[in-house]
Amino acid sequence: DTAVSQTPKYLVTQMGNDKSIKCEQNLGHDTMYWYKQDSKKFLKIMFSYNNKELIINETVPNRFSPKSPDKAHLNLHINSLELGDSAVYFCASSDGQIYNSPLHFGNGTRLTVT
Amino acid sequence: SQQGEEDPQALSIQEGENATMNCSYKTSINNLQWYRQNSGRGLVHLILIRSNEREKHSGRLRVTLDTSKKSSSLLITASRAADTASYFCATSHTGANSKLTFGKGITLSVRP
């Protein structure tokens, strides 16, 4: 009965490869997010989708492309991976507007680019 | 930067003691939230306090908000070893496309 699940948990790949991370939530929430957490634990928003529509797109290289096939899923595809992409990526969801609702996080995907 | 800044960066206490963590921010907020992150896990929401609220409680947690000082504090009473984690404050600011911006976190160690 996991609320926000993302796969894979670990991803090790070489520079230049393309990879995807999948995220699903069974909470019935309208809004989903991708956050990136660096080695110093700093957490930064990357994207936000509301009912499959992109509403937040921070300054993220266009090698990162989110896709939301329905409001329960938000996947992240990364092209031409670079060493600096190594981080933990968290998917999250919320019910309603961000200024009223807490986020529910998945357990993260640790991406290591070698 | 809109992000909150937590203080101290690290805190080590004995089990049974209280832990107080602080967060300051720079621009007006809609709400402020505190999250906990255990090692290797995702963040877990603890408390949301709105800009028109001054104090909220949840079990052993007490959060205060002082909008005049643009600061918040999280108090954990009677700490337990299981409270060992990183704690983050996150702020939602007024304005279009409001998003939740996280601070850098506080590492709390509770010694048994």
Side-chain angles (χ1 to χ4, degrees):
Chain A
D1 59 346
T2 305
V4 181
S5 59
Q6 48 184 114
T7 56
K9 186 170 174 61
Y10 300 98
L11 188 51
V12 181
T13 188
Q14 291 184 327
M15 281 174 52
N17 283 350
D18 304 338
K19 291 293 179 186
S20 292
I21 307 171
K22 295 186 176 181
C23 179
E24 175 182 6
Q25 55 95 3
N26 62 4
L27 297 166
H29 288 167
D30 290 333
T31 309
M32 296 185 71
Y33 311 81
W34 279 109
Y35 277 84
K36 177 181 179 181
Q37 187 174 46
D38 64 22
S39 59
K40 296 183 179 177
K41 294 192 177 178
F42 179 50
L43 203 67
K44 186 172 163 69
I45 190 168
M46 300 173 69
F47 302 103
S48 172
Y49 270 74
N50 180 264
N51 276 320
K52 302 194 300 176
E53 185 178 336
L54 181 67
I55 55 172
I56 292 175
N57 183 351
E58 289 294 285
T59 309
V60 177
N62 57 14
R63 299 182 294 103
F64 290 78
S65 52
K67 284 190 171 52
S68 183
D70 55 61
K71 75 172 194 176
H73 295 84
L74 180 62
N75 303 322
L76 183 65
H77 188 75
I78 315 169
N79 289 328
S80 303
L81 279 155
E82 300 177 357
L83 291 176
D85 297 332
S86 294
V88 182
Y89 292 84
F90 286 98
C91 177
S93 70
S94 68
D95 183 20
Q97 298 297 327
I98 187 60
Y99 41 83
N100 280 325
S101 309
L103 298 187
H104 296 255
F105 282 83
N107 280 325
T109 296
R110 182 174 293 277
L111 171 65
T112 303
V113 183
T114 61
Chain B
S1 167
Q2 290 183 332
Q3 73 186 70
E5 291 190 9
E6 294 99 339
D7 166 61
Q9 289 189 331
L11 183 60
S12 180
I13 59 174
Q14 200 74 34
E15 205 165 26
E17 293 180 339
N18 295 342
T20 300
M21 291 167 270
N22 303 301
C23 172
S24 60
Y25 57 91
K26 294 179 180 173
T27 58
S28 296
I29 58 170
N30 292 313
N31 69 59
L32 185 144
Q33 304 181 33
W34 284 93
Y35 287 80
R36 184 188 74 233
Q37 183 179 31
N38 291 91
S39 180
R41 305 297 298 267
L43 282 75
V44 174
H45 178 258
L46 297 176
I47 288 183
L48 181 155
I49 187 164
R50 294 187 172 80
S51 59
N52 61 353
E53 298 175 314
R54 292 297 166 256
E55 187 170 312
K56 287 189 89 167
H57 297 255
S58 176
R60 294 182 296 112
L61 306 181
R62 172 177 167 246
V63 167
T64 60
L65 178 65
D66 187 334
T67 52
S68 66
K69 295 181 180 178
K70 292 186 170 60
S71 67
S72 172
S73 66
L74 169 66
L75 169 67
I76 304 175
T77 59
S79 63
R80 305 167 182 168
D83 295 328
T84 294
S86 293
Y87 291 81
F88 294 83
C89 76
T91 47
S92 170
H93 295 268
T94 53
N97 291 329
S98 182
K99 54 184 183 282
L100 202 60
T101 305
F102 286 81
K104 295 179 181 177
I106 297 169
T107 301
L108 173 66
S109 299
V110 181
R111 304 185 301 273

